[in-house]
Amino acid sequence: MATNPLICEICSKINFERRFDEADKLFTRTFPSGPLPFSPSYNTSKEEKEQAWNQEIADPTVLQVIDSEGLFNARESTCPVCNFFANIGSKIQYPLKTLQFVLCSSLRLCSPILNGGKLLSSIESGSPQPQYFDRGFLALDDHYRNKSNLYQHNFIPEDFFGGLACFRALPQDEESHVQTNDGILARIVPEWVDYKIPKGWLEFCKCHHTQICRRPDINNRLEGFQLLNCDSLEVESQPLATDYVALSYVWAASSSVPDDKHPNVILHAAEVTRQLGFQYLWVDRYCIDQGNNEEKETMIANMHLIFQQAEVTLVAVVDEFDGLQGVLLNDPSSQRGRKAQKKVRIGDMTLATYIEPKEAIELAKWSFRGWTFQEGLLSRRVLVFTDKQLYWNCCGMSEMEGLYIPPKISHLPDMSQQGRWMAPGFFDRASKGSIRSLPDSDAHISKDLTRVGEPTEQVLWKIFLEICDDIKKYSGRHLTYDSDSLNAFKGIMQMHMARAGDHIKFILGLPLVVTSSLDLGSCFAYILSVWSHDFIKGARRHQNHLPSWSWAGWAGPLWFETLYEYNDDSIVNPRVSKIYTPELRLIIGENGSTETSIQAALETTRSLDAFATLRVVKPYFIPKKNRYAEYNYFFESRISYDTEMEVLFTTENIKFVLTFLNQDNSGSYFLILKLTDKYRNGERLWERIGISFLDRWILNKWYRDLNSSASTNERKEFADRWKSAGRFEDFIGLLGLVSSETDILIA
């Protein structure tokens, strides 16, 4: 073992290399037969946790403890080992003297990277598996304050894992010589990008992910499609079938660059494109004629094709730098090296910290911009440039530059994609075929979720729920122009419609499922009734370019109420079995020249994107005198505006309109409407400002509370009558609803 004269006496007494070697042999010998760590329940006593800890130390299978007494008090030392661990330990807000070294099983105690329980389950299922090498890694743990940490499934909270876990480093320039089952290792990240790494990921993907990451077939030419030639930096007309790279970035960072110069991010992306072996780059700034509205609309409607066809999408997420950090050019003023990775040389080995990639992406402005949501989601392969490392996420795998995980550990035996035991990537979706993104119970339909054809009703509802989840994630993002609220989501809509054929349709961004068990009008009434805004974060209306009954007419994070049923952690079909919806009609166009039914509006199109006023034909509503009735105790209300509930109950210009009632009264949904001062062809217009609902789950919750408290007899009586009501007439009488004598128009 090589010695370093700067290492202090305390550190020199710890033979890290020998302890690592012992741990590797122990963990590998006991895997997979060795147990996962003890996972205490909420009620586990302190004594039981203490006993489990002592038992693991006495007869270890997943960890080993190294005495570190005195080491963490050496902050002022010149010893590189002292300084390395003191810097890491400072991330924990505890006295450093309470910390200790723990060598951990990487295959059982590394859940931010892989799930040991799912890996063990896959081995126990009998499928052929390679012999795993369970290479230990080093972590810091607060022994005295939280002895149970190492027995939790996430032994270190995921947000603390980065920087607290240390892996032995892969010898530089020796990755090709490492045995494929040699365990998990750190990879030292250089200041400037080494293109062998992303090229290796790309080549592996092309070679092994031949189904899940393959380029979709296209049957037509996209008129007006252009690409930037990275050799000449000139824009050329090219067929969509050309091999090209796409760029996703935040415009604002490069908007101040003169028109006669290319922003750094473009120059860097062109360099990366060439280094990856391609000639052409797609970037919206140059490849869409911003002054040609017709061409712009065509490109917006085909974003799903543009990003799906790209061989790789480059993503720039460093806010304070207008470029791709780590890309080396000839101009020093236009480049920036990456932040140094924490590492230390001990004998013949190097220890390096784990670099968490997702936080750098999630906190970047890129992740808060509306247009970038679909750019990342639609891409088959994404290469992210953070300030510390590269991050790769294709449909089949996610990889980080700072960590090397052998494919025989991360992938299925046939190498077709990473196994379910690997943590999902930032851009993984079931729509891309990633089995890591599915609940365990849905693994059997993973291929059905990406297949174009005749999906089953079960698969259709899964797609519907995924669309709702996409809308929820997108709605919290920011747009420079309100008018882009639907445009920036159209690529997602096109992607889902391509998956489901004619079985998924949209009305101003609201998804509808076409099934034999539910007509389009009823499905529209349902989705219209269950979306609401996050009442904590609030919302605001867009500048009236879209109606208030569509989520796209608002800005602010969304929520979908009572949308799912859960069974053993699996999402099953939404509770949609209607007993009543009012007749709904659309008045299409700003001037209201065409009025049609929901069914007729979608006969010739799969997505209605034109402005439309919604007519609710003589619906039932809660009269003002009943808004303070006892049953309001049970209802949940979600208001888009910051409005006191007292105002809603006492104001004449507010209406609670029944729009959907489920079978057996299992769910009732009302739109909360506010009268405006606007008219359409002589009829007063209303604005949707929220929803109010009561479903069986909520009622059962309140019912238990009623039986255990001194509640009023009226509330208990209402709950009993609701549970026994079976007919629509019973429901109407129970709530005292009345039928409107006129239609209600919602704009």
Side-chain angles (χ1 to χ4, degrees):
M1 180 182 77
T3 60
N4 185 337
L6 295 178
I7 294 180
C8 68
E9 182 180 357
I10 296 175
C11 293
S12 63
K13 291 180 179 179
I14 304 175
N15 192 329
F16 285 97
E17 291 179 275
R18 180 177 61 81
R19 296 304 298 271
F20 267 112
D21 183 60
E22 291 173 352
D24 292 345
K25 293 176 180 177
L26 169 67
F27 300 155
T28 301
R29 186 177 70 250
T30 60
F31 185 87
S33 58
L36 281 172
F38 167 71
S39 297
S41 67
Y42 181 78
N43 296 321
T44 302
S45 68
K46 181 179 179 180
E47 290 75 19
E48 289 175 309
K49 295 177 182 178
E50 178 93 14
Q51 181 181 2
W53 172 268
N54 292 332
Q55 178 63 37
E56 180 55 45
I57 293 177
D59 184 22
T61 57
V62 296
L63 60 87
Q64 286 189 348
V65 177
I66 301 177
D67 181 19
S68 58
E69 184 177 355
L71 176 60
F72 297 108
N73 295 323
R75 276 177 175 252
E76 305 302 323
S77 171
T78 58
C79 170
V81 180
C82 287
N83 290 329
F84 176 73
F85 288 112
N87 287 332
I88 295 173
S90 64
K91 186 172 183 178
I92 305 178
Q93 301 302 312
Y94 304 144
L96 295 180
K97 63 182 180 181
T98 71
L99 300 176
Q100 64 184 8
F101 293 132
V102 184
L103 287 172
C104 307
S105 159
S106 60
L107 300 185
R108 285 168 286 193
L109 285 171
C110 204
S111 57
I113 300 170
L114 62 82
N115 185 312
K118 289 184 178 180
L119 179 57
L120 285 170
S121 297
S122 71
I123 295 172
E124 292 168 358
S125 67
S127 58
Q129 297 286 345
Q131 176 63 44
Y132 290 109
F133 183 72
D134 192 356
R135 182 183 291 274
F137 69 96
L138 187 68
L140 300 185
D141 184 63
D142 177 22
H143 174 50
Y144 294 101
R145 296 198 181 196
N146 201 352
K147 294 184 179 181
S148 66
N149 265 354
L150 290 167
Y151 296 99
Q152 297 287 0
H153 193 57
N154 284 321
F155 86 98
I156 296 177
E158 187 164 351
D159 56 339
F160 275 94
F161 194 85
L164 292 179
C166 309
F167 292 82
R168 281 162 290 175
L170 182 74
Q172 289 183 306
D173 301 322
E174 293 186 25
E175 182 168 328
S176 60
H177 301 295
V178 174
Q179 296 297 316
T180 55
N181 63 343
D182 240 3
I184 300 175
L185 291 161
R187 186 191 281 116
I188 301 300
V189 179
E191 181 181 9
W192 305 104
V193 172
D194 177 358
Y195 292 100
K196 293 197 301 291
I197 303 300
K199 288 180 72 173
W201 292 333
L202 177 61
E203 291 167 4
F204 184 91
C205 175
K206 284 186 171 183
C207 179
H208 296 286
H209 305 160
T210 53
Q211 292 299 316
I212 194 172
C213 294
R214 69 179 180 85
R215 192 174 191 175
D217 297 329
I218 50 173
N219 300 319
N220 57 326
R221 179 184 176 89
L222 180 57
E223 294 297 329
F225 182 70
Q226 300 180 106
L227 292 170
L228 182 70
N229 188 321
C230 293
D231 294 330
S232 64
L233 294 182
E234 297 290 335
V235 175
E236 303 174 3
S237 295
Q238 291 287 340
L240 193 58
T242 303
D243 288 342
Y244 64 93
V245 172
L247 174 65
S248 178
Y249 68 112
V250 177
W251 264 51
S254 57
S255 58
S256 60
V257 177
D259 292 338
D260 60 342
K261 291 188 176 181
H262 295 291
N264 286 335
V265 69
I266 306 299
L267 297 175
H268 293 176
E271 173 66 12
V272 174
T273 299
R274 289 190 294 265
Q275 291 287 351
L276 292 179
F278 301 98
Q279 182 179 357
Y280 292 101
L281 173 70
W282 187 91
V283 51
D284 53 3
R285 183 180 187 133
Y286 297 104
C287 300
I288 298 179
D289 184 351
Q290 303 297 324
N292 186 331
N293 289 332
E294 183 177 352
E295 178 183 317
K296 188 175 179 179
E297 289 180 7
T298 299
M299 294 301 136
I300 287 173
N302 288 280
M303 282 293 171
H304 64 299
L305 293 179
I306 292 173
F307 281 94
Q308 285 176 342
Q309 288 295 312
E311 291 298 313
V312 184
T313 296
L314 311 179
V315 174
V317 298
V318 180
D319 296 338
E320 66 274 12
F321 178 56
D322 173 25
L324 302 178
Q325 196 153 339
V327 174
L328 185 62
L329 295 176
N330 294 326
D331 181 7
S333 65
S334 67
Q335 60 199 31
R336 180 185 294 183
R338 295 179 295 187
K339 294 180 180 178
Q341 185 180 13
K342 292 179 181 178
K343 58 184 182 294
V344 65
R345 183 77 176 179
I346 305 176
D348 294 328
M349 72 177 183
T350 299
L351 285 181
T353 53
Y354 168 77
I355 306 174
E356 168 55 53
K358 292 186 180 180
E359 182 177 308
I361 303 173
E362 291 172 339
L363 298 181
K365 290 180 181 177
W366 184 92
S367 292
F368 293 90
R369 300 299 295 174
W371 282 99
T372 59
F373 177 75
Q374 67 174 4
E375 293 168 4
L377 180 56
L378 295 172
S379 301
R380 293 177 293 135
R381 304 183 184 102
V382 177
L383 181 61
V384 184
F385 289 75
T386 76
D387 60 348
K388 295 179 180 177
Q389 66 173 338
L390 298 175
Y391 175 73
W392 170 277
N393 196 175
C394 64
C395 303
M397 69 182 184
S398 61
E399 297 284 349
M400 60 199 85
E401 187 179 1
L403 199 69
Y404 172 74
I405 305 176
K408 284 194 175 181
I409 289 178
S410 64
H411 276 65
L412 298 172
D414 63 2
M415 297 292 159
S416 60
Q417 65 171 303
Q418 287 184 341
R420 297 177 55 76
W421 51 88
M422 295 300 295
F426 188 84
F427 302 97
D428 280 350
R429 290 291 189 280
S431 58
K432 294 183 175 182
S434 171
I435 60 175
R436 294 166 290 167
S437 300
L438 288 172
D440 292 346
S441 57
D442 290 344
H444 65 288
I445 62 168
S446 60
K447 293 182 179 179
D448 297 328
L449 291 174
T450 59
R451 182 179 300 150
V452 176
E454 291 296 324
T456 65
E457 187 163 328
Q458 179 194 17
V459 170
L460 281 174
W461 283 117
K462 300 284 185 183
I463 295 174
F464 173 81
L465 296 177
E466 191 175 338
I467 297 170
C468 292
D469 189 55
D470 286 340
I471 293 172
K472 184 173 71 171
K473 292 174 180 175
Y474 166 76
S475 64
R477 295 192 171 211
H478 307 303
L479 292 162
T480 303
Y481 304 104
D482 284 351
S483 57
D484 285 338
S485 62
L486 191 59
N487 286 339
F489 194 72
K490 282 185 177 179
I492 304 294
M493 294 160 55
Q494 292 288 349
M495 177 190 71
H496 289 299
M497 287 188 290
R499 295 166 62 197
D502 291 328
H503 297 283
I504 292 288
K505 301 195 176 192
F506 288 88
I507 296 181
L508 287 176
L510 292 173
L512 282 69
V513 178
V514 182
T515 70
S516 58
S517 61
L518 195 69
D519 62 274
L520 278 177
S522 298
C523 189
F524 177 66
Y526 177 74
I527 191 63
L528 178 75
S529 306
V530 297
W531 72 264
S532 64
H533 285 103
D534 187 318
F535 57 93
I536 297 176
K537 298 179 181 178
R540 67 170 179 84
R541 281 284 277 127
H542 281 313
Q543 296 174 358
N544 298 322
H545 73 289
L546 291 175
S548 64
W549 51 262
S550 167
W551 61 264
W554 295 80
L558 288 182
W559 190 255
F560 289 88
E561 302 291 348
T562 66
L563 194 57
Y564 319 121
E565 283 186 349
Y566 290 89
N567 180 19
D568 297 330
D569 297 325
S570 170
I571 299 176
V572 297
N573 291 357
R575 296 177 289 221
V576 185
S577 53
K578 68 113 178 184
I579 190 173
Y580 166 80
T581 61
E583 181 183 354
L584 301 174
R585 300 183 63 80
L586 294 174
I587 304 172
I588 300 174
E590 293 284 354
N591 299 321
S593 57
T594 303
E595 183 168 337
T596 182
S597 67
I598 304 300
Q599 185 78 34
L602 293 172
E603 282 184 353
T604 59
T605 182
R606 290 194 294 175
S607 180
L608 178 66
D609 301 332
F611 186 96
T613 301
L614 179 63
R615 181 187 295 278
V616 188
V617 179
K618 298 179 180 179
Y620 285 93
F621 66 95
I622 302 175
K624 179 183 175 183
K625 65 179 181 179
N626 286 356
R627 292 182 195 168
Y628 271 118
E630 286 294 330
Y631 61 71
N632 282 303
Y633 171 81
F634 300 97
F635 274 77
E636 296 278 352
S637 296
R638 300 285 183 264
I639 311 301
S640 298
Y641 287 134
D642 185 12
T643 306
E644 296 291 336
M645 292 300 296
E646 181 75 17
V647 175
L648 299 179
F649 289 144
T650 59
T651 306
E652 290 286 351
N653 64 351
I654 298 293
K655 254 188 172 57
F656 287 69
V657 174
L658 178 65
T659 47
F660 197 91
L661 178 65
N662 249 344
Q663 193 74 34
D664 300 325
N665 299 340
S666 59
S668 60
Y669 305 89
F670 293 80
L671 296 187
I672 303 177
L673 307 177
K674 181 181 179 181
L675 194 62
T676 73
D677 57 0
K678 298 178 181 179
Y679 290 82
R680 173 66 47 82
N681 297 331
E683 295 181 83
R684 193 82 172 264
L685 297 177
W686 295 77
E687 180 185 42
R688 182 197 193 274
I689 64 169
I691 63 171
S692 188
F693 60 95
L694 173 61
D695 69 1
R696 192 175 295 278
W697 182 87
I698 295 174
L699 185 67
N700 288 337
K701 174 182 177 297
W702 284 116
Y703 196 77
R704 290 191 298 269
D705 294 342
L706 290 175
N707 290 329
S708 61
S709 63
S711 299
T712 64
N713 291 330
E714 290 84 355
R715 289 176 181 174
K716 291 181 179 178
E717 180 183 352
F718 172 81
D720 288 331
R721 289 177 61 193
W722 179 284
K723 291 171 73 71
S724 62
R727 300 178 305 160
F728 178 59
E729 293 77 9
D730 298 334
F731 175 80
I732 296 299
L734 185 60
L735 295 185
L737 302 184
V738 297
S739 178
S740 174
E741 296 180 356
T742 60
D743 296 346
I744 292 178
L745 268 64
I746 310 173

